[in-house]
Amino acid sequence: MNLIHAAIAVLLLSSNPSEANHLRRTKGSRDLTKKTRSNRTMKSASSAKAAKVKSWEVVVNNANVIPPPENKRRSLEEEDEKTFSSYNAASVNEGKDVVFRARSTGQQNKEGGPKTGIYTRKMSQPDSLVIRQASRGSTVPQPNNIDYPIEGEGDEPTPFIEFPSFPALRSQSSILHQGQRTSRSGSTRFSLVAFKKKKKKKKKTSSRDPATREATEDNTSSTLKTGVPKLGNVDEFKDQFRVPGVNDPEMNIAFDVFPGSPSIDDDKNLAFKGNYLEDGVPKTGVFYRKLEDSDDIFGGDKPIYVIANSDTFIPAEGAVESCQGGFMVFRGVDDEDDPTCGGIYKAKLEKNFPELKPLVQIGDAVPGIEGVETFTRFGEGLSFDGKAVAFWAALGDETVTLTKCCPEHGNKDRSDFCNNDDPNTINGTETDIGCMYQEVEVPSHQGIFVYNEGKGEKLRLVKETYLNEDGIGTDLLHWNYSGKPPGAGPNRALEDDTDAAEPPRWRSAAFAALMEKDTVAYKMTTTTTTVTEESSELVTTAGIYTGHRGKDGYTPHTILQSGDLCTDFDEMAVVEGTGVSMAVESVAIERDGFRNDYLCVAVACGTLSGQ
C-alpha cells in the first residue's frame, strides 16, 4: 500500500443514543476539512447504553500548512511553506482541546531533517486554528545558554532539536511535553510545561477563512516554562533540582535523561521517569514536582520528590507513570527485561518515598480466563483517571517467537544501525523472510484489564488475546525499533549517549485509553492466513476498539481498522483525480486520548494495489 495521506481525528461517542440530536457540527474550510458522519453504529446485546458513534471531526490532515512559530496569518498558496505529513497519537481533554506531535517531509533549513513540533487545536471552537506550541529550532525556555552560558558555547539561545512522540494533557487544561535541546557538549532533555497566556480578546473579522482570520482569545500559543531541568549539579539550582532519594543526601546529582512521556494532573503535579548515575552506577526512578502559577521560570520553587527508585524494595525498575487527583500509578519490577516480581503500584504525591499500594502484582490470579493462572508481565503505559487504571498484561508463561524486519524508512541513523551494525540483526535477505531482521519473544496470552478502587469487583478483564506458535491470532503488543545509535544526532561527532536517548532496540508497547471504569479504548492486531492454490499468506489487520462494560462483562466494538474507507472520517482522503476513497493503513491511540466521550486517533491512509 502506498501511504499518501494521514490525519488526526476526534470521534464523538455516546453512551446514550438519544443524545445524538445534540451533536454540533462545525463548518470546514480549505485546509481544515469538513466533518463527515461515520456510517458506523456500534451495537451491544448486553447493554442498552453501549457506545455509539455520533460523528468524526478532523483535527488536522496533510492539507494543513504547518503554522509559523509566532502563529501569524498566512496564505496556503505561499510556496515556501510545508504541510504536515505524519502524526503521532494525540491527547484530548474534557474540553475537546487536542495536543499532538507532527512532522513534515523534506529538510529543515538549519537543523536538517523535517519540521517537527508540538501542536494544539481547540476543537470546541468552530474553525479554530492549529497552533504551534514548540518546534525544532525554536528557543528552549529559561534557563538557556544566553543567560546561563556554558564555556565554549557562545551566547546563542539554545534550540529544541526533538520531542518524544506523546505530549500529555491535563484532563482540564495545560499541555505537557518533553523537549530535547542540543549543545556542542551533548544533547540535553527537559520536561516542559505550557501555561496558557492571558491575552486580550482580538476583534473577529467577518471572514471564515483561516487564511485571513486572526487567532482569538484561548486560541493562542502558550508560554513554555521549564518543569524539570538537568541542573541538579549546578550550585544555583541544586537544592531544587538535584535527584532526590540518593544514598548520600549531600550529593548533587543531575538527571541524565527522561525516558518516555511525562504526565500532569489537574492539580499541576508533574510526574516523570528519570535516569541518573550514582557513583557511576546507572539508576532510574519515578518522581514528581508540584507546579504553581508563578512568574518564576520554573513554575514556582517546589523541589522534586521521589516515589520509588532502583534502591526501593521490589519496584526497582520504574516505568512510565500516570498521575491524577494527587496520586500516581506506575509499573515497578525487579528486572525490566525478565521480571520475576513487581506489579502496578499507587502512591500519594506528598513526600519522598511514600507508601506504595500494590494494585496488581506478578503472580496474582487472572480473573475471567480459564486455563491461565497468573499475571507474568505488565505494560508500561497506564491510563489513570484518579480511581481506575487500565493496563496491559501478559498471562501465563507461553510465548511465541516473531520476526521483525529492520526499518527501511524513517530515521536514517536507526535504519542504518539496525540493517548494518546491530549485533542482534540476522541476515534473512536470501531466505523466505526477505530482509535483515531480529527475533522477538511475545507472550501468547495477553489482556487489557481495568483495576477500579470503587465498590464491588476491583479487577476486570476488558479484552483477552492469543497468538499460536505460528503467530496466528490476536495481539495487543505493537513494535517499534527506537533509540539513539552510537554517534548519531544533530552533531554526528557526539558520542556521549548518557546525554541522549537509550540505545536502539525493538521495543513493544500496548495502547489503552480509559475514559472511565466502564469504557476503555485499545489497539489490537489480528493475524490470519489466506490460503490459495498457489500459496498461503499472512494477513494482518490493526484496529482501534472499545470495550463497554455491561452485565456480561466488556462488550467489544470496532471503531476503525486497517482496510476501512478513510472517507468515513475525512472526505479529503481520496485518490487524486479519481475520487476513490483511500484505505486505512495504520491507526494509533495513546493513554490520554479518550476523555468525556471524545476518542482521538491518528490514522495513515494509502492507495490499494491497482488504484
Side-chain angles (χ1 to χ4, degrees), residues 93-133:
N93 68 10
E94 294 178 0
K96 212 176 175 181
D97 300 324
V98 178
V99 57
F100 58 94
R101 176 181 182 263
R103 57 186 286 167
S104 72
T105 57
Q107 298 293 313
Q108 188 174 349
N109 293 335
K110 292 184 178 180
E111 298 294 332
K115 290 185 177 180
T116 304
I118 304 296
Y119 304 86
T120 59
R121 188 176 173 207
K122 199 172 187 67
M123 295 300 292
S124 61
Q125 289 187 358
D127 296 333
S128 58
L129 300 173
V130 174
I131 302 296
R132 183 193 306 227
Q133 300 294 346

Side-chain angles (χ1 to χ4, degrees), residues 286 307-308 312-315 322 326-333 342-351 353-362 364 378 382 384 386-389 391 451-459:
V286 287
I307 298 297
T312 305
F313 179 67
I314 295 182
S322 184
F327 291 88
M328 177 197 292
V329 292
F330 67 96
R331 185 205 68 176
V333 293
I344 296 174
Y345 299 86
K346 182 179 179 180
K348 189 173 183 179
L349 303 179
E350 58 179 0
K351 58 184 178 179
F353 299 113
E355 180 182 357
L356 303 181
K357 177 182 179 179
L359 302 183
V360 57
Q361 299 185 93
I362 291 173
D364 286 355
F378 297 103
L382 308 176
F384 180 52
K387 294 183 178 180
V389 56
F391 62 92
Y451 182 94
N452 177 42
E453 290 197 296
K455 295 180 180 179
E457 185 182 10
K458 294 185 180 298
L459 184 60

Side-chain angles (χ1 to χ4, degrees), residues 400-419:
V400 58
T401 300
L402 303 180
T403 59
K404 298 293 178 183
C405 289
C406 286
E408 297 291 341
H409 306 287
N411 184 283
K412 186 177 185 301
D413 292 324
R414 281 195 294 268
S415 176
D416 289 347
F417 184 78
C418 185
N419 280 282

Side-chain angles (χ1 to χ4, degrees), residues 367-385:
I369 302 178
E370 295 183 3
V372 178
E373 295 183 354
T374 61
F375 290 102
T376 51
R377 287 177 180 264
F378 297 103
E380 291 187 342
L382 308 176
S383 186
F384 180 52
D385 68 359

Side-chain angles (χ1 to χ4, degrees), residues 240-369:
Q240 190 174 4
F241 294 117
R242 62 187 171 194
V243 177
V246 297
N247 293 321
D248 182 354
E250 299 302 318
M251 292 183 67
N252 299 319
I253 299 176
F255 288 103
D256 280 335
V257 66
F258 305 107
S261 294
S263 179
I264 189 169
D265 69 6
D266 292 327
D267 296 323
K268 297 180 183 175
N269 291 302
L270 162 60
F272 61 97
K273 178 182 178 181
N275 292 355
Y276 57 97
L277 287 175
E278 183 177 358
D279 291 329
V281 179
K283 294 187 178 182
T284 187
V286 287
F287 306 84
Y288 81 95
R289 179 173 175 251
K290 177 75 171 181
L291 302 167
E292 300 170 314
D293 288 323
S294 168
D295 292 333
D296 182 270
I297 62 175
F298 298 118
D301 58 3
K302 299 293 186 183
I304 299 169
Y305 293 95
V306 58
I307 298 297
N309 63 18
S310 297
D311 296 317
T312 305
F313 179 67
I314 295 182
E317 296 288 341
V320 177
E321 69 301 313
S322 184
C323 67
Q324 189 60 256
F327 291 88
M328 177 197 292
V329 292
F330 67 96
R331 185 205 68 176
V333 293
D334 60 336
D335 186 320
E336 187 171 359
D337 294 325
D338 187 21
T340 59
C341 61
I344 296 174
Y345 299 86
K346 182 179 179 180
K348 189 173 183 179
L349 303 179
E350 58 179 0
K351 58 184 178 179
N352 283 331
F353 299 113
E355 180 182 357
L356 303 181
K357 177 182 179 179
L359 302 183
V360 57
Q361 299 185 93
I362 291 173
D364 286 355
V366 177
I369 302 178

Side-chain angles (χ1 to χ4, degrees), residues 478-495:
H478 309 279
W479 294 83
N480 180 44
Y481 189 79
S482 61
K484 179 179 178 293
N491 182 343
R492 297 306 176 101
L494 297 180
E495 298 292 343

Side-chain angles (χ1 to χ4, degrees), residues 45 74 92 160 170 183 185 229 234 238 360 391 423 457 459 590 600:
R74 71 179 177 203
V92 62
F160 286 114
R170 287 167 52 190
S183 65
S185 60
V234 176
K238 62 184 181 182
V360 57
F391 62 92
E457 185 182 10
L459 184 60
E590 267 290 359
C600 199

